[in-house]
Amino acid sequence: FCTLFDSRYLSRGLALYDSLRSVCDSFTLYIICFDDIVQDALQRLHLDNIVVIALECMEDDKLLSVKAVRTAGEYCWTCTSFSIDYVLKRFNLPEVTYLDADLFFFQDPDILLQEFHESDASVLITEHRYTPEYDQSVTSGIYCVQFMTFKADGRGRNVLDWWKARCLEWCYSRIEDGKFGDQKYLDNWLTMFEGIHSL
């Protein structure tokens, strides 16, 4: 698993970690630290099953070129696809599942990953599943960037590279030309790409 957060989300990130520790037999959580407070806190805690990654390790010239024109939240959204890519490549993993830092698991998420593996897909996405009276899919998107898996194969790389390029071009906390943050880009993946499974 990989996630990213700054000090404003540190308590949530620790709750996510504790939930994984309580329901998973084994796991590794790669955490990209968006400020020094998070990095220092995690290093002092010496938690099992986590890999602490400084933001600077992941940032490249392309990301740095847009950092100044994005809010802190928008920059986190911009970096989501890049964090998945970084963890896949840096640690030579066959696949990685991105988790929003404010998720909490009450059961082993392996049941979700089993469904993904049985689908023989390369990318897993999850729907918002809004109830009708609160449906925001038109503005916020059909799918939620909260629990996504990417395999490091050709199909997975194709989708991830496309998503990275789009988020670099435009990733803002506003609705514009059918886009919203990093999320609305997922709306058409089932028809645009091969190897996508909706959980």
Side-chain angles (χ1 to χ4, degrees):
F1 300 109
C2 75
T3 190
L4 54 83
F5 52 89
D6 63 16
S7 52
R8 294 174 301 172
Y9 268 67
L10 178 57
S11 60
R12 295 168 179 85
L14 290 173
L16 165 63
Y17 167 77
D18 282 341
S19 74
L20 286 170
R21 193 175 59 173
S22 68
V23 299
C24 292
D25 291 332
S26 65
F27 71 94
T28 302
L29 179 61
Y30 299 87
I31 301 175
I32 297 174
C33 304
F34 266 62
D35 59 37
D36 292 339
I37 297 172
V38 169
Q39 187 173 339
D40 292 344
L42 293 175
Q43 287 173 338
R44 284 198 317 270
L45 287 169
H46 300 291
L47 302 173
D48 295 331
N49 308 105
I50 71 164
V51 176
V52 179
I53 303 166
L55 176 61
E56 295 78 25
C57 294
M58 183 195 73
E59 287 179 311
D60 60 14
D61 291 341
K62 290 179 180 178
L63 280 173
L64 291 171
S65 72
V66 300
K67 189 173 185 176
V69 296
R70 311 261 162 107
T71 66
E74 290 167 347
Y75 189 61
C76 282
W77 292 348
T78 303
C79 288
T80 300
S81 55
F82 286 84
S83 68
I84 296 165
D85 184 55
Y86 177 83
V87 171
L88 279 172
K89 289 177 178 174
R90 170 67 179 81
F91 300 97
N92 196 29
L93 301 177
E95 71 181 49
V96 69
T97 299
Y98 169 80
L99 306 175
D100 268 354
D102 55 2
L103 285 180
F104 191 94
F105 292 96
F106 295 91
Q107 185 177 343
D108 191 336
D110 188 55
I111 190 172
L112 309 176
L113 297 174
Q114 283 178 13
E115 178 184 320
F116 171 58
H117 294 142
E118 289 168 8
S119 75
D120 198 35
S122 297
V123 177
L124 175 70
I125 55 178
T126 57
E127 289 185 58
H128 278 288
R129 294 196 181 105
Y130 291 114
T131 54
E133 63 268 33
Y134 298 108
D135 190 352
Q136 300 174 38
S137 54
V138 171
T139 54
S140 298
I142 299 166
Y143 302 97
C144 185
V145 177
Q146 62 174 349
F147 186 97
M148 306 176 70
T149 304
F150 283 82
K151 289 184 180 176
D153 61 14
R155 296 185 305 182
R157 288 242 46 96
N158 185 42
V159 179
L160 189 55
D161 289 343
W162 182 90
W163 191 30
K164 284 171 55 185
R166 299 297 76 72
C167 289
L168 208 58
E169 290 170 355
W170 192 99
C171 189
Y172 298 96
S173 183
R174 63 176 184 262
I175 300 159
E176 184 177 307
D177 298 328
K179 302 186 291 282
F180 176 77
D182 58 349
Q183 205 153 260
K184 283 283 284 178
Y185 290 120
L186 280 61
D187 278 7
N188 300 313
W189 281 9
L190 288 174
T191 54
M192 286 176 61
F193 300 106
E194 294 181 2
I196 308 289
H197 180 69
S198 177
L199 188 68

